[in-house]
DNA sequence: CTGTTAGCGCATTCAT
DNA sequence: ATGAATGCGCTAACAG
């Protein structure tokens, strides 16, 4: 027979039941779900649908003819209960569609099994991808994922003031943003594990790319192609001014120029916030120089696309007249033939989750994971045209 | 009357404490946080950081010289407590950095104050934007937001099998995807409110655009420009075959053609999944026709960008040789000068949250909200070139 | 307005 | 292996 149970308790019980259900569901999804529906109740009418979890452990215990304690053990502990008893309890629970009350369970146990994700922009690709990776691994580990979106400075201030996740989670993941010192202290008052995903953050365990290296790969590619007058469209998060930010991408620009023995033209580096349209404007600025660059290094693909738009509108071609390179390997970079330095986004989320879980379990682990980036050459970069080099 | 409130008690505490802290924060964010940190403890050393919530309501009550009940009331109820008493309790709580235990509170209260977001792709712009809107409104309302990512068919099956959110939430929001009938039955067993965001879903209260109308706007624009041979790159979610899907965008294509008295060339409509690279391939297919279209209507901006890439690689120009239109108004559509039918993404999330909250409070409300779309003309569409009309 | 008293549903000692 | 008894921290009657 199909032997499935749901809810938090069942999640800890080991693989047996789920394996069984998978085995029994070869027939396909729909059929499978239908079969499940038939367990315990045939009627599907909405008003008749038994609301899961309307019964308590006590009910189960009574029906199974065991004590509350035994029922509890049967539901959660791997041993300490006779196999036959356990089976009986589980069956009853199944029939009643019983689910343990997470509130009660957690209250009694003390643990919470939840983690908070603090994200500045869920709607930007990179953040979404990181969150996606985090969610997958964390929920696989049986944890619930709470989402906190701190878009603007107000959200942010409010979050750190109120710490709404306080006492609700075992850990918090700050996704790709720097945390100011004062904010750090607030965070620490939560008394929970803190890790950073996708942002260089020395104070917390973290996984991130090496921004300096990524920038260097972009710049070196441009230099290798023969460009000597390279512009930069740099971005900073307006809220990050005083934080442990990632200036690595900007530093790389100057370092690469210096190492190549090239002069730095202050007029060729413009700093904006992370906005494509701002980048478009910035590109216009660069084109207004007496000697515009033959190539532009942008801190992200989105910025790069903004630059490309302006270049095209000016009647120039990419890459024949001006080369453009970004960082990220945004999905649309492939569609827009943009050369870029790829960073694994989802993977950073996945790894952060692993780091987090290891830390939570007290397993030994490194505090920082650096994931590699790599140059992806497409059609937005090429050697400079002699005519324009002058 | 129904008198429901959500969130942990401390969140409802009224404006007094927060107002006070805000009042003291005129000096700026950092200083402000510093000030907060100083309340109750001066030492910041990590090992000395008082873990918030290590004290219980009982402690507060004792220190404030009141009973547990009064302390509880002071923390959560708006009235029934003498202002002076309440102030005292609140102050003590503040000093001890006390936070109510959500588990205990919810266990005793019965309510949960949480909602689950079920999302197929957090890393795609539209979904991220909807989630962003949902999160903002829901957390403003004091609700916690649980995220469930059901990427592929396996995730999906697993979610509906296990219903991991069972008993953990007051409501679930399915973000932009159809729910098969069998899945509906599973969902309903959760016995909670279900609403749909950003997807046409007749069975649940929902907010969405009119896909047929959106498609019609795109097609009509193309027709108005004079195009007679229009291709379509249609997309369907591979997992959505048997669900209450949105075929509206595809239907609009045929309806528009019919209304314009134009013949339908089966070879000009190709259906793929929601992938830009697949769209690029599809465009190649269209270009391989004996009479390629002079304009292409794509079900999303991402698909449109894929089409544009192929067109350009073929040495043709957009829009001179072939016009391309999408749907969404993805942020990058602006940067890539793509003409499109804009749909409000974040706003759909916001409105869904409002709908959800109203429903939860038992307030009267319509079951379905349709948000408008509008044509955004950029530079990827133009009248057909006579030479190519042949 | 405030204090007393029961639970909320479950996980754990202890016993047996 | 199982049962009885406590307690997790808080809220909601119910008195006073």
């Amino acid at each position: 027979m199909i032997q499935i149970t749901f809810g938090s308790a069942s999640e800890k019980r080991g693989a047996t039941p789920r394996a069984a259900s998978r085995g029994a569901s070869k027939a396909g999804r729909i059929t499978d779900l239908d079969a499940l529906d038939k367990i315990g109740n045939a009627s599907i009418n909405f008003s008749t649908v038994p609301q899961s979890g309307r019964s308590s452990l006590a009910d189960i215990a009574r029906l199974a003819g065991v004590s509350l304690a035994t029922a509890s053990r049967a539901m959660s502990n791997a041993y300490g209960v006779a196999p036959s008893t356990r089976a009986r309890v589980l069956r009853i629970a199944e029939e009643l569609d019983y689910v343990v009350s997470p509130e009660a369970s957690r209250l009694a146990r003390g643990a919470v099994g939840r983690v908070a994700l603090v994200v500045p922009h869920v709607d930007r690709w990179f953040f979404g991808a990181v969150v996606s990776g985090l969610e997958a691994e964390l929920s696989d580990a049986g944890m619930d994922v709470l989402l906190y979106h701190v878009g603007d400075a107000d959200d942010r201030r409010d979050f750190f003031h109120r710490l709404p996740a306080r006492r609700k989670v075992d850990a918090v993941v700050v996704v790709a943003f720097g945390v100011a010192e004062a904010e750090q202290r607030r965070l620490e008052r939560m008394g929970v594990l803190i890790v950073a995903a996708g942002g260089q953050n020395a104070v917390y365990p973290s996984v991130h790319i090496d921004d300096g290296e990524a920038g260097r790969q972009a710049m070196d590619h441009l230099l290798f192609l023969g460009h000597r007058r390279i512009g930069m469209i740099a971005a900073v998060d307006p809220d990050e001014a005083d934080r442990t930010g990632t200036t690595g991408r900007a530093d790389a620009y100057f370092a690469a120029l210096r190492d190549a023995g090239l002069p730095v033209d202050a007029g060729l580096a413009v700093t904006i916030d992370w906005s494509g349209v701002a980048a478009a404007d910035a590109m216009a600025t660069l084109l207004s120089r007496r000697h515009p660059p033959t190539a532009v290094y942008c801190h992200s693909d989105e910025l790069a696309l903004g630059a490309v738009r302006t270049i095209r509108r000016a009647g120039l071609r990419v890459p024949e007249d001006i080369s453009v390179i970004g960082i990220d390997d945004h999905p649309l970079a492939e569609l827009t033939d943009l050369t870029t330095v790829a960073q694994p986004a989802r993977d950073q989320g996945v790894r952060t989750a692993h780091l987090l879980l290891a830390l939570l379990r007290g397993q030994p682990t490194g505090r920082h994971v650096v994931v590699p980036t790599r140059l992806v050459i497409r059609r937005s970069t090429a050697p400079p045209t002699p005519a324009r080099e002058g």
Side-chain angles (χ1 to χ4, degrees), chain A:
Chain A
M1 72 158 289
I2 299 181
Q3 174 67 274
I4 309 177
T5 52
F6 308 96
S8 52
S10 67
E11 286 159 13
K12 304 176 293 187
R13 213 179 346 164
T16 314
R18 280 178 65 187
S21 82
R22 283 197 187 284
S25 65
K26 280 276 170 54
R29 180 176 59 253
I30 304 309
T31 308
D32 188 8
L33 286 177
D34 277 331
L36 277 174
D37 270 332
K38 290 188 191 108
I39 298 176
N41 75 305
S43 172
I44 294 302
N45 183 297
F46 186 78
S47 57
T48 316
V49 170
Q51 301 192 358
S52 308
R54 245 55 201 87
S55 39
S56 72
L57 224 205
D59 300 331
I60 308 295
R62 189 165 0 89
L63 287 173
V66 297
S67 75
L68 223 182
T70 299
S72 174
R73 277 189 282 259
M75 294 299 297
S76 52
N77 279 328
Y79 67 150
V81 186
S84 62
T85 324
R86 149 185 300 271
R88 186 153 31 94
V89 173
L90 258 30
R91 191 172 46 71
I92 305 279
E94 174 63 39
E95 282 174 8
L96 268 61
D97 201 22
Y98 168 77
V99 201
V100 299
S101 156
E103 323 298 342
S105 176
R106 284 167 175 153
L107 175 57
R109 186 200 315 249
V112 306
R114 271 188 299 242
V115 8
L117 265 38
V118 186
V119 191
H121 316 277
V122 212
D123 45 351
R124 285 200 202 159
W125 169 75
F126 178 71
F127 299 88
V130 174
V131 167
S132 151
L134 278 163
E135 199 280 344
E137 298 305 303
L138 291 175
S139 70
D140 265 12
M143 309 225 95
D144 281 330
V145 177
L146 279 175
L147 184 66
Y148 291 94
H149 187 197
V150 294
D152 53 29
D154 274 349
D155 280 358
R156 185 165 182 141
R157 182 160 41 239
D158 189 59
F159 178 83
F160 286 102
H161 265 155
R162 300 185 27 239
L163 293 182
R166 238 191 309 193
R167 269 197 136 190
K168 292 179 185 167
V169 299
D170 294 313
V172 4
V173 183
V174 297
V175 179
F177 71 91
V179 178
E181 238 183 273
E183 293 178 340
Q184 283 176 29
R185 291 202 284 279
R186 292 292 300 166
L187 259 190
E188 281 162 6
R189 296 187 74 158
M190 289 184 63
V192 300
L193 177 61
I194 301 168
V195 305
Q200 300 208 6
N201 203 316
V203 293
Y204 303 123
S206 65
V207 9
H208 54 81
I209 63 170
D210 180 334
D211 281 296
E213 174 60 17
R216 200 54 196 259
Q217 289 171 321
M219 285 298 294
D220 284 348
H221 172 58
L222 260 23
L223 289 167
F224 172 74
L225 289 177
H227 292 278
R228 320 263 85 186
R229 211 163 54 255
I230 302 176
M232 168 168 79
I233 296 183
V236 294
D237 193 313
D239 299 327
E240 303 263 340
D242 54 339
R243 295 182 182 76
T244 67
T246 67
T247 55
R249 298 189 192 182
D251 295 341
Y253 173 75
F254 298 106
L257 250 30
R258 189 188 55 233
D259 290 356
L262 258 29
V264 170
D265 179 342
L268 292 189
V270 14
T271 298
I272 56 177
D273 55 7
W274 295 98
S275 146
V277 299
D281 293 341
M283 189 64 227
T285 300
L286 291 182
L287 289 181
S288 74
R289 301 301 181 205
R290 177 181 296 269
H291 293 295
T294 61
V296 181
Y297 153 53
C298 302
H299 280 196
S300 83
D301 287 347
E302 192 172 348
L303 302 186
L305 289 178
V308 167
R309 183 179 74 170
T310 296
I311 294 172
R312 292 222 173 105
R313 286 194 178 174
L316 300 172
R317 291 160 307 159
V318 173
E320 291 82 354
D321 297 312
I322 298 183
S323 287
V324 175
I325 190 170
I327 290 183
D328 268 354
D329 198 21
H330 187 294
L332 295 189
E334 179 176 2
L335 298 180
T336 48
D337 269 335
L338 187 69
T339 295
T340 188
V341 174
Q343 73 165 315
R346 190 167 199 282
D347 186 51
Q348 289 182 64
V350 169
R351 288 182 190 238
T352 303
H354 291 163
L355 179 60
L356 172 48
L357 293 169
L359 252 19
L360 235 32
R361 291 174 185 137
Q363 293 168 358
T365 172
R367 278 179 61 83
H368 298 283
V369 178
V370 178
V371 297
T373 54
R374 69 175 210 290
L375 179 66
V376 176
I377 299 179
R378 297 209 179 89
R379 304 187 181 194
S380 69
T381 50
T385 304
R388 298 202 163 273
E389 286 188 74

